[in-house]
Every structure is written in structure tokens, then in C-alpha cells.
Amino acid sequence: AQSVTQPDIHITVSEGASLELRCNYSYGATPYLFWYVQSPGQGLQLLLKYFSGDTLVQGIKGFEAEFKRSQSSFNLRKPSVHWSDAAEYFCAVAGRGSQGNLIFGKGTKLSVKP
Amino acid sequence: SAVISQKPSRDICQRGTSLTIQCQVDSQVTMMFWYRQQPGQSLTLIATANQGSEATYESGFVIDKFPISRPNLTFSTLTVSNMSPEDSSIYLCSVGTGGGEKLFFGSGTQLSVL
């Protein structure tokens, strides 16, 4: 079955520290891969996406993610976290041509210590 | 990018009543979708809102419970019918542009059913 696993429910990092959020997926073929961020009371904002090509993808707000086919992973990273990054982060996959039917992980809540 | 306005942003409803959620986009889009985010859970696709025809529902969701309208390429409504406390969730409208690779989300409707 198609699924997305975000193993960390809640992560706390210090401001200025590096961040890595994990995402593993189970899918029949290489899907489209996404990371979204949801701030309290807000909708989801797309951080970055992978469709093909370079497996290291750059996104907004200084985030990047690396697609590793052998590990079925698409981990999100940021070298230096800012207090404003505190939010919930969702990894999602979609089949090529699935027309927006995203399968989401359960999310990772990020807290940032001053 | 598409700007999505979703109303209401939140509501508290009584058991057995119905609520209609509106989604307005600032430009014509080919695809519109409705997602549900239950407390502590990930997002789940309810249905694809098709312009001029009946919505396409995902497994576990039925038209009688979640009737959807899409009269044109910029507007859609989702009704949550005969509500029960189990329907308490965030409901999100999303739109797809291009070939479906870009998916934008509204800010969501926080629904609480007493």
C-alpha cells in the first residue's frame, strides 16, 4: 500500500542549530515528492518538491531536501533554524499523473528553543 | 501561484446540522480538491471537485455526507451534512495548476461539532 512515514512526531532544536526531518515512503514507482509547512491557524505552504533530475532540491526559506531512491527517503534539511520555523511539517507523495491526490505523512511538529 | 480564500475559517456547530464551506480562487484553475485533517492526523483527500459534473470521491467518503459543488473554474463548496462530533476536523480546499504538479492550499476551516 502507498504510505508516507514521518518517524518523528515532535522535534525540538535550538535556534541556529541544523535541522533534519525524516520522511520515508512506500510507493510502486518513483512518485512526486513534496514537503509542506503548516503554521498554527494557517493553511499548508509548499516548501519544495521533487519530480525528476537533481536529487538535491532547494526550496523556500532556506530549506532543502534530498531524494534517495535506494532508501525511499526524502529528508528535509536546514543548516540554521530560525525561531519562525516553528511549525508542523508534512511530507507527501503523489503518483505521476495523479492529479493532486497527495498522500501525506502524519507530520512532524518542530519547536525552536531560543 | 494561486490565492485561495476559504470561508468560514472556523465554526462550532450542533450535532445533526450541516455546514457549507466555500473556496474561492483568484484565477481559473483546472483542479480543485477537498481534504480533511482530523485532530492529530494527517491530511486525507475527500474528493476532487469537477467543474460541471459530479465530484469524484475517495474511498470512505460519500456524496450524501459530503456534497460538493463546483459551478465554475474559480469556486467550489463542500457541505458537511448531518454532522456528528466525529466530523470535527480541519477541512482544506486545494487547487492544482499546470499539470497538477503544483498544489496550493487554502487556510482551512476549523470545524467543531458539539
Side-chain angles (χ1 to χ4, degrees):
Chain A
Q2 302 156 359
S3 65
V4 177
T5 302
Q6 292 180 247
D8 304 305
I9 297 173
H10 189 185
I11 285 181
T12 300
V13 300
S14 298
E15 190 167 17
S18 64
L19 170 71
E20 182 170 32
L21 302 181
R22 296 182 289 166
C23 173
N24 292 93
Y25 67 89
S26 174
Y27 208 86
T30 301
Y32 293 147
L33 297 156
F34 306 82
W35 274 99
Y36 285 87
V37 60
Q38 184 179 38
S39 299
Q42 302 293 313
L44 275 73
Q45 181 181 23
L46 179 65
L47 286 175
L48 49 77
K49 58 188 183 293
Y50 172 78
F51 293 151
S52 64
D54 192 346
T55 56
L56 185 62
V57 180
Q58 302 297 321
I60 62 171
K61 303 184 179 184
F63 286 93
E64 66 177 27
E66 185 171 12
F67 168 57
K68 292 185 177 180
R69 185 191 309 273
S70 61
Q71 300 176 17
S72 296
S73 69
F74 189 56
N75 294 347
L76 182 71
R77 300 194 295 250
K78 186 169 185 178
S80 177
V81 169
H82 187 263
W83 64 266
S84 61
D85 293 325
E88 186 134 25
Y89 292 79
F90 291 93
C91 180
V93 303
R96 294 168 185 267
S98 67
Q99 302 291 301
N101 186 351
L102 297 183
I103 300 169
F104 284 84
K106 292 191 174 183
T108 298
K109 183 177 181 179
L110 173 66
S111 297
V112 181
K113 293 188 299 186
Chain B
S1 65
V3 177
I4 304 169
S5 300
Q6 194 173 329
K7 293 191 293 187
S9 58
R10 59 179 60 240
D11 207 341
I12 300 173
C13 301
Q14 296 296 319
R15 182 196 300 261
T17 62
S18 297
L19 175 72
T20 295
I21 303 167
Q22 300 180 358
C23 178
Q24 178 75 54
V25 191
D26 67 341
S27 59
Q28 293 185 345
V29 292
T30 52
M31 294 168 287
M32 295 182 78
F33 308 92
W34 289 96
Y35 281 82
R36 181 176 72 181
Q37 185 179 17
Q38 294 178 297
Q41 300 296 315
S42 184
L43 286 82
T44 303
L45 179 65
I46 297 172
T48 302
N50 301 309
Q51 193 267 328
S53 64
E54 194 171 282
T56 304
Y57 289 84
E58 298 300 309
S59 176
F61 298 97
V62 295
I63 187 171
D64 290 345
K65 177 66 175 178
F66 298 102
I68 288 171
S69 77
R70 190 174 175 195
N72 55 53
L73 293 175
T74 64
F75 186 78
S76 177
T77 67
L78 168 75
T79 299
V80 186
S81 303
N82 188 24
M83 288 184 285
S84 67
E86 291 71 34
D87 295 320
S88 298
S89 296
I90 298 174
Y91 293 86
L92 296 111
C93 169
S94 71
V95 303
T97 62
E101 299 88 4
K102 295 183 180 180
L103 204 60
F104 301 97
F105 285 83
S107 55
T109 296
Q110 173 80 60
L111 172 61
S112 299
V113 183
L114 305 179

